Amino acid sequence: MDQSLSLSGDSVPRKAGTRQTVAAVLFAVWMIWNVLSVLGLHIYLLQEVLPASPVTEFVMSAVTFLFPMAGFAMLIPGAANRATKTATVLLSVGYACIVLCYAGCALSLSAATGDITGVQIGQMYAYRGLTSLACSIIWLFAFSVILRSNAIESGTASWIGLLLVDAMITLVGVLFGVVVIGIGPGEHPFGSLPGTVFRVVWDVLLIGAYIRFARCAAFSGAGEDAPQGVYSPLNKYMAGIVFASGVTLAALWAVYRFAAPWLRML
């Protein structure tokens, strides 16, 4: 019989607790690396190891996304019910698609004859954007299924709600950048000091959100039946995200049109 340990007031099998801890560490390492990337510190850490090229950027991104892919995969065996397991598989597969996309972009650029052109890089960014768009929709659905199929305490559910918001930010970011204003590769519509500060603070919050997600009761190994209709996309989480996405897109357009030129001067 498996030994048990205490997790948020509950007794869970030791194997499940170990998998949750490993997943939390993988998520934390991934988000810490994101913070370093936002600050540009990752360049200093790897400048003596990796050459500076577009191919290197895609390779580094592919390696980075292996961490969340593995983190979600670690949680699959401890899922409390079939709905949670299915949703977690979708999360892991989504990041696997991101890894394959970046790896494919790196291979395509490395196989190109002559110098890599801006057009080629732009195509790779377009593929990346489309993949991120599709995966963000999958992630929104998966997180909503996990929240609906488990009795997660309100405090932890609020933290997991940040992951829903982060997936919405990815969705809105791709739609806004590619569809609304058509930015090119390497551009950022809100590249400024306030934007950098927001991204750093947000990623730090996500460290806590991913840790709470990995350690929540949904992956404690304790079996629990999911309610009926849990797979339906017509739920309060998805409805709230759709509404919030529309409002956010409108607000971003207004900020980009009137405030972004001033912010970029900071």
Side-chain angles (χ1 to χ4, degrees):
M1 175 178 285
D2 285 340
Q3 292 179 325
S4 298
L5 52 84
S6 178
L7 178 66
S8 301
D10 298 320
S11 179
V12 303
R14 184 173 295 276
K15 288 183 179 180
T18 300
R19 286 192 294 264
Q20 287 178 286
T21 301
V22 172
V25 170
L26 290 170
F27 290 137
V29 170
W30 171 48
M31 294 311 305
I32 290 171
W33 181 257
N34 284 350
V35 172
L36 294 177
S37 300
V38 171
L39 296 175
L41 298 178
H42 68 306
I43 297 176
Y44 296 101
L45 293 174
L46 298 176
Q47 60 183 351
E48 301 296 334
V49 181
L50 299 174
S53 73
V55 175
T56 302
E57 178 186 349
F58 283 106
V59 170
M60 287 175 55
S61 297
V63 173
T64 301
F65 281 110
L66 287 173
F67 285 90
M69 183 192 76
F72 287 117
M74 289 294 298
L75 296 175
I76 293 172
N81 49 56
R82 184 177 295 275
T84 301
K85 180 173 292 188
T86 301
T88 311
V89 169
L90 287 176
L91 290 168
S92 186
V93 169
Y95 279 102
C97 291
I98 295 287
V99 170
L100 291 175
C101 176
Y102 277 103
C105 290
L107 288 174
S108 178
L109 291 176
S110 63
T113 57
D115 294 333
I116 298 174
T117 66
V119 174
Q120 291 172 312
I121 298 175
Q123 290 176 337
M124 299 304 107
Y125 273 81
Y127 297 148
R128 183 191 71 173
L130 291 174
T131 305
S132 297
L133 181 64
C135 289
S136 62
I137 296 173
I138 294 173
W139 296 331
L140 286 170
F141 173 71
F143 283 126
S144 71
V145 169
I146 291 172
L147 284 171
R148 297 180 69 209
S149 59
N150 296 277
I152 300 174
E153 60 182 19
S154 59
T156 300
S158 297
W159 278 100
I160 297 175
L162 293 182
L163 304 182
L164 273 165
V165 174
D166 187 59
M168 185 203 76
I169 291 175
T170 301
L171 175 66
V172 170
V174 174
L175 289 175
F176 183 75
V178 177
V179 179
V180 179
I181 62 176
I183 62 174
E187 299 179 39
H188 195 283
F190 302 103
S192 63
L193 179 60
T196 299
V197 172
F198 169 79
R199 293 173 64 192
V200 170
V201 173
W202 181 249
D203 284 345
V204 170
L205 286 174
L206 289 181
I207 293 174
Y210 274 107
I211 290 175
R212 293 294 291 270
F213 174 80
R215 302 285 293 170
C216 76
F219 306 103
S220 63
E224 171 180 309
D225 292 336
Q228 294 293 324
V230 70
Y231 291 111
S232 173
L234 302 177
N235 58 72
K236 63 179 181 180
Y237 301 107
M238 295 296 287
I241 288 298
V242 170
F243 175 77
S245 297
V247 173
T248 304
L249 276 172
L252 284 176
W253 178 87
V255 172
Y256 179 76
R257 177 67 177 81
F258 300 107
W262 174 76
L263 288 174
R264 282 195 291 267
M265 297 174 61
L266 296 178

